[in-house]
C-alpha cells in the first residue's frame, strides 16, 4: 500500500505542477564543497547542468532561488551498492525503484548503482528484467552485473554489457549453493574484466567455511539471528578478502572489495595497496553506524532486521573502519541497501540460515556519515564529499559528470544544514519498509534540499518525484582512476620482484621456441 501511495502522490504532484520544473535554479550564498576544498559561492543551474559557481551570480528571470546561507552545498550522493527489487533467498526484496529512489532523494543521494542479477546465468535476460523494474525510476542510476557461472556465453555477454555502458562485475565468494563462485571462476572473471577494462568486485567471505560453521551453529541449538553473527566470524571475511586480492595481483586486475565489515578485511586491503596493487575498499553506512549487539535482542523483529552479510561487527571493528575511512585506507561509503519487510524476515524465525540477508540505508547514509565521521571530527566536509560521492564517481567512470560542483557537471546537489537536529525512524523515513535499523539515532546535520537532474525534488520536508523520470547512466570502460598505470605495472613487475636479469634467460645449448619444419 505504501508503494501505491507513493505512486499516487507522485502522479498528483506531477499533474498539479508541484514538482519544480523551472529550467533555472540559483543556490545563493552557501558553502560549496568539493574534494579540493570549500568556498562561499552561488551556484546557477540551467537545464539540468551547472552553469556557474562564483559569488554574485545574477539570476535570470523566472529562476527558482534557494537561500543556502549557513549551509553546505555538496555534490549529490552516489550510492555504489544497492539491491532494489532483488530476487534472493526465495523472495524479492520489498524496496522498489520508486520507493527506494524516493527515499534516496530525501536523504541527498541522487544516483545509485544497482545489481542486475542474471536469469539462470543469462546476463542479457537479467538486464531486461531489471530494466522492467526500473520503469518507474525517479533519479539517475546504473547497474553492476554479478557473475555466478562461467561459460563462453557469459564471457561474450560481459563484452555486450560493457557496450551497453556497464563497466563493473561482481563475484560472490559466499552463499554456497547459490551465488558463490570458486577460485577458478574468479580467476577467469578477473582476467576477462581486465581485457574489457571493467572493474571486478568481490564479496569477500569464505563460503565453504561459513556453510560448515552455519551447520555447526544450528546443530548446537543456536537458531536465531545471533547464529548468523556467530557463524560468520571476521577472520573468514579477512581470509577471503586477502585471497581475492592475491588472485587479482596474479592477474594484474584492479579490484573493488564491497561492504568491508571488519578490521580483518580492511587490513588485507591495506597490505595489498602497500605493494602498489590497485584495490579499493567500500564500507557501508551500517558498519560505521551500527554494531552486532541488536542481533541478540529478544524481539525477533528487531534482531532479524539487523541481519546482513558480511554481518555487523562489534564496536572494535566499527571504530577501526571509521578510522580507516578517515585515514584514506578505505575509500568510500555505500549502503548495500537490500530492503526486506519484517514479514519477509519472519521466514527465518526458527532458522537463521534462511533469514533474508540485508539492511536498508539509502536514505540514511549521508546522515549517518555526517554524525559518525564529520561531527566526531574524524573527517572534514571535503572528505565527506569524497567518501559519499566523488570517489564513487571516479572509480565507476562518472567523473566529472557526477561527484563535482563545477560548470558543466550534472546538477545533482544536496544542501546540508549542519545545525538541524533530527531523529532517524521508520515513522519518518520514505522507504517502503516497516522497520528501521537506525531507529532512534540522533543526528545533528540534515539534508534540507536535494536537486536531481536540475530539479528541486526534496525541500523543507517535502518530496516531489516524477515516476519514469529516472535515467540509466552509461559508464565507459577503462576508468582512468583505476586503469591508469596498469600496463606500466605489468611491464615491470617481473623485473621488480626478480631483479636478476632479463627473462627468458638465454642459456648455451637452449633450443628456440620456433616450430621446426618437418
Amino acid at each position: 500500500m505504501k508503494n501505491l501511495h507513493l505512486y499516487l502522490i507522485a502522479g498528483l504532484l506531477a499533474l498539479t505542477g508541484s514538482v519544480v520544473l523551472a529550467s533555472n535554479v540559483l543556490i545563493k550564498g552557501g558553502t560549496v564543497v568539493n574534494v579540493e576544498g570549500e568556498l562561499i559561492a552561488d551556484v546557477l543551474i540551467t537545464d539540468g547542468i551547472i552553469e556557474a559557481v562564483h559569488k554574485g551570480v545574477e539570476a535570470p528571470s523566472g529562476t527558482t532561488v534557494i537561500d543556502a546561507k549557513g549551509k553546505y552545498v555538496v555534490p549529490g550522493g552516489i550510492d555504489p551498492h544497492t539491491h532494489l527489487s532483488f530476487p534472493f533467498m526465495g523472495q524479492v526484496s520489498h524496496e522498489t525503484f520508486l520507493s527506494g529512489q524516493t527515499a534516496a532523494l530525501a536523504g541527498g543521494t541522487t544516483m545509485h548503482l544497482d545489481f542486475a542479477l542474471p536469469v539462470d546465468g543469462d546476463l542479457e535476460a537479467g538486464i531486461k528484467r531489471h530494466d522492467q523494474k526500473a520503469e518507474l525510476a525517479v533519479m539517475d542510476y546504473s547497474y553492476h552485473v554479478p557473475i555466478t557461472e562461467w561459460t563462453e556465453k557469459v564471457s561474450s555477454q560481459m563484452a555486450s554489457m560493457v557496450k551497453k555502458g556497464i563497466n563493473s562485475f561482481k563475484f560472490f565468494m559466499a552463499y554456497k549453493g547459490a551465488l558463490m563462485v570458486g577460485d577458478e571462476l574468479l580467476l577467469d572473471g578477473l582476467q576477462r574484466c581486465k581485457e574489457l577494462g571493467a572493474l571486478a568486485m568481490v564479496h569477500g567471505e569464505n563460503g565453504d567455511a561459513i556453510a560448515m560453521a552455519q551447520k555447526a551453529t544450528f546443530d548446537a541449538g543456536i537458531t536465531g539471528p545471533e547464529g548468523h553473527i556467530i557463524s560468520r566470524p571476521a577472520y573468514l571475511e579477512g581470509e577471503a578478502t586477502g585471497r581475492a586480492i592475491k588472485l587479482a595481483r596474479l592477474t594484474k586486475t584492479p579490484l573493488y572489495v564491497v561492504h568491508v565489515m571488519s578490521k580483518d578485511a580492511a587490513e588485507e586491503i591495506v597490505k595489498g595497496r602497500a605493494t602498489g596493487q590497485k584495490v579499493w575498499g567500500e564500507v557501508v553506512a551500517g558498519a560505521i553506524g551500527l554494531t552486532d549487539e541488536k542481533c541478540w535482542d529478544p524481539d525477533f523483529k528487531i534482531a532479524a532486521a539487523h541481519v546482513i552479510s558480511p554481518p555487523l561487527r562489534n564496536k572494535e571493528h566499527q571504530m577501526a573502519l571509521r578510522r580507516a575511512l578517515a585515514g584514506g585506507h578505505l575509500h568510500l561509503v555505500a549502503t548495500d541497501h537490500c530492503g526486506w519487510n519484517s514479514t519477509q524476515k519472519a521466514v527465518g524465525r526458527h532458522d537463521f540460515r534462511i533469514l533474508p540477508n540485508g539492511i536498508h540505508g539509502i536514505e540514511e547514509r549521508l546522515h549517518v556519515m555526517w554524525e559518525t565521521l564529520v561531527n566526531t571530527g574524524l573527517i572534514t566536509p571535503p572528505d565527506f564529499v569524497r567518501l559519499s560521492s566523488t570517489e564513487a564517481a571516479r572509480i565507476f567512470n562518472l567523473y566529472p559528470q557526477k561527484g563535482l560542483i563545477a560548470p558543466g557537471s550534472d546538477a545533482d546537489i544536496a544542501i546540508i544544514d549542519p545545525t538541524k537536529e533530527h531523529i532517524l525512524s521508520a515513522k519518518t523515513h520514505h522507504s517502503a519498509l516497516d522497520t528501521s535499523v537506525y531507529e532512534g539515532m540522533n543526528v545533528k546535520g540534515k539534508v534540507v534540499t536535494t536537486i536531481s537532474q536540475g530539479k528541486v525534488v526534496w525541500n523543507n520536508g517535502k518530496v516531489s518525484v516524477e515516476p519514469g523520470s529516472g535515467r540509466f547512466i552509461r559508464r565507459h570502460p577503462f576508468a582512468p582512476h583505476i586503469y591508469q598505470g596498469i600496463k606500466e605495472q605489468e611491464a615491470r613487475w617481473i623485473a621488480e620482484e626478480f631483479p636478476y636479469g632479463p627473462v627468458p634467460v638465454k642459456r648455451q645449448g637452449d633450443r628456440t621456441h620456433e616450430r621446426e619444419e618437418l
Side-chain angles (χ1 to χ4, degrees):
M1 285 300 292
K2 188 170 183 180
N3 284 347
L4 178 60
H5 176 70
L6 277 170
Y7 176 74
L8 292 174
I9 291 294
L12 179 61
L13 287 169
L15 289 172
T16 59
S18 295
V19 179
V20 178
L21 298 175
S23 59
N24 295 321
V25 177
L26 179 62
I27 304 170
K28 291 284 292 183
T31 301
V32 177
V33 187
N34 283 310
V35 168
E36 295 78 13
E38 309 172 17
L39 74 156
I40 296 175
D42 304 333
V43 180
L44 178 63
I45 297 165
T46 302
D47 295 330
I49 301 296
I50 297 171
E51 182 175 323
V53 183
H54 57 80
K55 288 184 178 180
V57 174
E58 294 294 330
S61 177
T63 296
T64 298
V65 180
I66 299 172
D67 182 5
K69 185 176 181 181
K71 302 178 180 67
Y72 289 104
V73 181
V74 303
I78 300 173
D79 188 343
H81 189 155
T82 63
H83 300 275
L84 301 181
S85 296
F86 188 67
F88 186 49
M89 299 183 76
Q91 301 187 67
V92 177
S93 61
H94 189 63
E95 196 82 90
T96 66
F97 270 78
L98 177 57
S99 66
Q101 291 186 348
T102 299
L105 292 170
T109 288
T110 54
M111 179 165 179
H112 71 112
L113 287 84
D114 209 67
F115 286 88
L117 195 65
V119 175
D120 298 325
D122 191 317
L123 277 56
E124 297 279 3
I127 292 298
K128 183 178 180 180
R129 178 177 64 181
H130 224 58
D131 282 343
Q132 293 172 345
K133 295 177 181 180
E135 287 178 353
L136 293 181
V138 297
M139 71 184 211
D140 291 351
Y141 63 94
S142 193
Y143 299 149
H144 309 295
V145 174
I147 303 299
T148 57
E149 59 183 72
W150 193 255
T151 64
E152 287 299 320
K153 180 180 178 180
V154 169
S155 179
S156 176
Q157 286 188 333
M158 286 176 71
S160 298
M161 296 297 102
V162 172
K163 291 178 181 178
K164 290 178 183 292
I166 298 168
N167 66 6
S168 45
F169 299 93
K170 182 179 180 180
F171 303 87
F172 291 87
M173 301 173 76
Y175 302 123
K176 186 173 182 177
L179 303 175
M180 177 178 157
V181 304
D183 287 356
E184 182 179 4
L185 191 156
L186 180 55
L187 283 164
D188 287 336
L190 288 168
Q191 289 188 335
R192 186 59 170 149
C193 283
K194 182 182 173 184
E195 292 169 359
L196 296 172
L199 180 60
M201 312 169 74
V202 291
H203 172 142
E205 284 186 294
N206 187 315
D208 287 320
I210 286 170
M212 178 183 292
Q214 284 180 321
K215 183 179 186 304
T217 302
F218 185 83
D219 290 348
I222 305 170
T223 62
E226 69 278 9
H228 180 78
I229 308 296
I230 293 168
S231 63
R232 303 180 94 99
Y235 55 80
L236 292 185
E237 183 187 352
E239 184 278 330
T241 300
R243 178 158 41 98
I245 291 171
K246 291 176 178 64
L247 295 181
R249 183 179 181 181
L250 178 66
T251 59
K252 308 298 180 295
T253 305
L255 187 69
Y256 181 100
V257 182
V258 302
H259 48 43
V260 175
M261 302 293 282
S262 67
K263 63 178 183 179
D264 302 59
E267 288 168 356
E268 294 293 338
I269 291 169
V270 171
K271 287 195 295 185
R273 290 179 70 89
T275 68
Q277 193 171 347
K278 291 181 177 292
V279 56
W280 287 264
E282 167 201 282
V283 180
V284 297
I288 59 174
L290 306 167
T291 69
D292 56 6
E293 181 180 4
K294 287 292 186 180
C295 286
W296 271 257
D297 196 288
D299 185 333
F300 174 80
K301 184 176 179 180
I302 294 175
H306 288 76
V307 169
I308 182 176
S309 294
L312 298 169
R313 308 292 185 189
N314 62 31
K315 191 73 173 180
E316 181 183 359
H317 289 282
Q318 180 194 70
M319 294 308 299
L321 295 178
R322 290 182 186 180
R323 289 191 292 267
L325 286 167
H329 303 299
L330 295 173
H331 309 98
L332 68 172
V333 179
T335 60
D336 194 7
H337 181 103
C338 192
W340 306 96
N341 249 357
S342 61
T343 52
Q344 294 179 296
K345 291 269 190 176
V347 71
R349 177 67 179 82
H350 302 291
D351 187 348
F352 69 86
R353 296 171 298 180
I354 61 172
L355 202 163
N357 289 194
I359 63 173
H360 63 100
I362 201 168
E363 181 173 357
E364 296 83 0
R365 180 178 66 115
L366 298 192
H367 294 131
V368 171
M369 291 178 65
W370 196 269
E371 179 65 22
T372 62
L373 299 175
V374 178
N375 287 346
T376 58
L378 283 172
I379 67 171
T380 64
D383 293 327
F384 172 85
V385 167
R386 172 174 53 83
L387 295 171
S388 66
S389 183
T390 306
E391 189 67 7
R394 288 171 171 167
I395 289 172
F396 296 105
N397 216 7
L398 294 162
Y399 189 85
Q401 178 184 359
K402 306 285 187 183
L404 177 69
I405 297 180
S409 295
D410 284 357
D412 294 338
I413 293 172
I415 301 176
I416 299 173
D417 184 344
T419 68
K420 194 172 184 63
E421 298 185 26
H422 59 118
I423 298 174
L424 304 182
S425 173
K427 298 176 182 177
T428 55
H429 71 196
H430 296 77
S431 167
L433 306 185
D434 59 354
T435 61
S436 173
V437 292
Y438 301 102
E439 191 69 44
M441 176 183 265
N442 290 281
V443 177
K444 185 177 181 181
K446 182 176 176 60
V447 175
V448 293
T449 304
T450 304
I451 298 171
S452 172
Q453 301 177 9
K455 295 175 290 187
V456 180
V457 293
W458 167 255
N459 194 44
N460 295 325
K462 296 181 180 180
V463 64
S464 303
V465 295
E466 298 174 82
S469 63
R471 304 178 301 189
F472 176 82
I473 304 299
R474 296 174 57 86
R475 298 173 290 125
H476 298 294
F478 294 103
H481 193 60
I482 61 172
Y483 269 95
Q484 191 169 21
I486 283 286
K487 290 183 179 180
E488 290 79 5
Q489 283 188 351
E490 188 168 13
R492 70 171 189 268
W493 80 271
I494 294 179
E496 288 184 347
E497 293 196 22
F498 307 99
Y500 314 122
V503 291
V505 177
K506 294 182 179 180
R507 294 180 175 88
Q508 187 174 4
D510 282 353
R511 299 177 64 182
T512 68
H513 292 287
E514 295 177 0
R515 180 178 296 180
E516 296 180 358
E517 294 292 330
L518 296 178

